[in-house]
Amino acid sequence: MTSDSSLAIELIDIWKRFPGVIANAGATLSVKKGTIHAVLGENGAGKSTLMNILSGVYRPDEGQVRINGNQHWFHSPSDALTSGIGMVHQEFRLVPSFTVAENVVLGASEKIIRRSLIEKEVEQIAQQFGLAIDPTRPVWQLSMGERQRVEILKTLWRKAQILILDEPTAVLTPAEADELGNVLRRMAEDGRTVVFISHKLHEVTAFCDEATVLRGGKTVASSLKVEEVNESDLAGLMVGSSPVISERPPHQEPGEAMLTIEELGTLDDRFLPAVKNLDLTVKSGEIVGIAGVSGNGQREMAQAIAGLRPITSGKITISGKDLTNAPPSERFTAGLGYVPEDRLGIGLAPRLTVIENAILRCYRNLRKSIFLVSEQAVNYCKEIIDRFGVRTGPIDDPIAGLSGGNLQRLLVGRELSGNPKVVLAAQPTRGLDVQGVKAIQDLLIAERAEGVAVLLISEDLDELLTLSDRLLVMHEGEIVKEFDPTTAHRHEIGAAMAGKRDES
Amino acid sequence: MKRLVLVRREQPLRGGQPLSFLIGLLVALLAGILLLVASGHNPIEIYERLFNSSVGSSNAWAKTLNRAVPLGLAGLAVAVAGSMGLWNIGAEGQILAGAMMAAWMAQIFDTLSSPILIPIMLIASILGGALLASGPGIARAQIGVNEIITTLMLNEVALRLLQWLIHGPWKDPESRGFPLAPLLADEARLPKLFGRAHWGVIIAFLVIALFGFVVSRTAWGYELKVAGSSGATARYAGISLNKKIITVMVLSGGIAGLAGGIELSGTSDRIVEGVSGGYGFAGIIVAALALMRPSGVAAVALIFGAVQVGGLSIQTLGVSSSVSTILQALILFGAIGAGVFNRYSLKSVKREKKGGST
């Protein structure tokens, strides 16, 4: 069977089921050669699964994959690569101690490789597409944007004609994202086909030719010409109804200082200074937002406040109590609720059950006899589930079966159930669907109304502008500027995120 | 073309455990027929002996139970450490340490009577195993030394110490040059339960039950599992990791040491080089087949013990030890390994064409 020869990719009626989840329910996608094609959809819409099928990571339960009109059945990503399909994943797959060129050739079938030759080749490809990078530098020295270029170079060096990028701009600054757009345009002009997964609408309209929208595992709009649609049309297709976003909470006068941080200093995982002399106060009944490009010390600051990272200097006080050297559990008891950025690595234990995760912070207090699970613990767990709307099976089941949104509800619910005085929320809505985002944001707003001091670290500027009473911008481990979110201009915030300081 | 893949079930199959055991056993025995016929044996005769010698009589049960004791305790030692994500590969050496300590006590307190001497010996065996495992535990907790390597290497240390003892100070003057320690006095031997089965069966069962309960039901066991899930999560929950690593390694070593004490006092009756019987390494298999759950090791050890006893017995019918070992592995793998189908189902998937065509 032959089909339209102008199409590089055709995915026809793809079904993929996982236990308890249908990730793709008859999804289709057709992409013309030499174009940049956006695949849009919310988290859980089935974008990543569909792309993993296209790149050979998963095999579809039903459906056809056609590349340049020929039906294919890939067994592995390298199989797909042989057919000219390369994928740049969200999490980079690079060896930090290897150089750029070494990473590019890693896994190549050639047995004998000449370093200088590879370095020249990589340099040449990089120049051809405008990817500024030095092939001899080790990867650990590179920024996230540069690492992404290495991933792209890996596929180009293997002569991929079809490039899939899974949410490539999530790790980039706005300027880097624009630059990536230019690179992708050059590749399309060179005759390559680019599939661009995103949920950032302005990027789609800025540098894609066509867009396919997925919802609930199905294709709801295929190959829309980007010139003919606007961002709100696309948003409407993605969510199926008008987008629900939390409203700005009414103004309220903040109370006394609940969280005080003075001259905080801490190191990152490479033992380099990550936070330098940071002063911060969050008062009762206010939400203080921390904006910044990721990797500017936000993660380290949060971990230091929570007691998970040793500090090199400074003082941490919660409602007047000095907790500078207190262990994490004592901080929880003193009224600090912490929603870590790394949900399954720190916040939850994936192999344990729902109830075992629910009581993680307070099992010592809930226990009456030698038994871990008391009636009190069961009630406590059920209360979290009811109050925070966690959709789950039996509480004795492992949490591995819960969706991302429900995991986060369980985690946030647990941290809020102790009636905290201070809530430290790091990327609390990242990766959640619209309902999940709204639920978590509403919880934070409710805590503020109760007089809780909320420190919100987020990469989503809209979220920060909506929720915060004060917005602080962090750059290279320091607070560089404070904004009033009701009057701040986005470009000013952007400039501060890039390191522009207050003139004073 | 079709291909079979394993798909995880949403819920484990209800009542699937005995069913998969029987079906797995049957498949293994059928495959074993091929093996036995190919090696020139009469499968019916061999299987009859295999069954009769392991579970066919009270005498057979006694042998099986006696073997299951060190297997179960060694498996428990590995599984307790494994619940926290630690690997105790040193159960073999800890068994030796336990046996040596027990034998030493029997020498020192040779005037005491059984009801006092035997508890002293068993407590000493626990201390011996615990002592040997404490080093790796402390090194892991304080400076992050990989416990797999240290526990593995200490096996050799324990073995060399034992060799020195039986070639030197503990050598039995009546052994006519063989490296053997003297036989234990009657007071130092575990009393019999029935036939040749000794009281170690009861002790091992109680210890396994105790740890099964502690790990799955108590806060202490919960902390182990949280720590095993992720060190960062444990710190976040306020669990002190270092102390726990040392405690768990010491307990794990103590359990293995107890296996050595029981094996000496109940079965081998003297210190010889093979007193540990490879149980320490078999314990890793027991723990793995029990999915690192302390509560699961008793059943696995019992099956393992029966298969070993039967496997030894059929060698007297002329089955070579290698064929016997293959048969043992088949049965063990079939009967226990089939349990995977309680959690996974087999699904056939179509594939039309080999991918990556050019």
Side-chain angles (χ1 to χ4, degrees), chain A residues 73-214:
Chain A
W73 194 264
F74 300 128
H75 292 280
S76 66
S78 62
D79 225 19
L81 200 54
T82 324
S83 299
I85 300 173
M87 181 151 176
V88 175
H89 291 270
Q90 257 175 296
E91 305 86 29
F92 300 147
R93 285 136 200 230
L94 300 171
V95 183
S97 55
F98 281 15
T99 67
V100 172
E102 282 166 345
N103 269 287
V104 168
V105 296
L106 192 67
S109 49
E110 285 86 353
K111 292 282 179 289
I112 300 164
I113 295 166
R114 266 178 52 209
R115 177 184 299 270
S116 58
L117 186 74
I118 298 300
E119 282 170 0
K120 226 163 89 185
E121 277 181 24
V122 170
E123 178 115 55
Q124 199 186 347
I125 300 169
Q127 264 176 10
Q128 184 187 346
F129 295 100
L131 292 153
I133 199 147
D134 175 0
T136 61
R137 275 180 74 191
V139 160
W140 64 266
Q141 295 181 346
L142 305 181
S143 71
M144 293 309 261
E146 286 172 314
R147 287 177 199 212
Q148 185 176 63
R149 285 177 219 154
V150 182
E151 286 282 0
I152 295 172
L153 279 170
K154 266 164 79 173
T155 64
L156 291 175
W157 185 77
R158 286 170 172 75
K159 312 212 163 26
Q161 288 300 312
I162 296 170
L163 231 87
I164 308 162
L165 296 109
D166 191 358
E167 306 209 9
T169 53
V171 296
L172 303 182
T173 61
E176 281 177 323
D178 287 346
E179 205 180 308
L180 177 70
N182 295 333
V183 171
L184 298 183
R185 180 49 64 199
R186 275 195 223 187
M187 292 200 285
E189 281 164 4
D190 193 51
R192 283 166 224 261
T193 309
V194 178
V195 179
F196 184 95
I197 305 169
S198 183
H199 46 206
K200 292 185 186 165
L201 298 170
H202 63 270
E203 287 167 0
V204 172
T205 50
F207 44 74
C208 294
D209 300 310
E210 290 188 337
T212 292
V213 184
L214 295 183

Side-chain angles (χ1 to χ4, degrees), chain A residues 19-20 59 61 71-75 79 82-83 308 328-329 338-340 344-352 356-357 359-361 363-364 367 370-373 397 411 414-415, chain B residues 3 5 7-11 83 85 213 216-220 222-223 225-226 228-240 347 349-358:
Chain A
R59 280 155 233 174
D61 297 337
Q71 191 171 333
H72 280 260
W73 194 264
F74 300 128
H75 292 280
D79 225 19
T82 324
S83 299
L308 294 174
S329 51
Y338 172 44
V339 181
L344 285 173
I346 296 179
L348 299 166
R351 280 187 289 173
L352 301 191
E356 285 175 328
N357 272 288
I359 61 176
L360 190 69
R361 294 284 248 173
Y363 62 93
R364 291 177 190 85
R367 196 159 57 98
I370 56 165
F371 288 93
L372 169 73
V373 175
D397 277 1
L411 171 54
R414 184 184 73 206
E415 296 302 315
Chain B
R3 225 168 43 81
V5 290
V7 180
R8 203 188 162 112
R9 291 179 199 274
E10 283 179 41
Q11 293 286 326
S83 314
F213 170 80
S216 64
R217 292 268 178 271
T218 67
W220 189 83
Y222 169 71
E223 291 177 349
K225 289 187 284 179
V226 172
S229 182
S230 147
T233 307
R235 273 200 303 281
Y236 171 75
I239 298 166
S240 150
K347 221 178 140 188
V349 175
K350 274 189 291 186
R351 66 172 165 192
E352 285 131 32
K353 184 179 162 188
K354 211 144 167 49
S357 65
T358 43

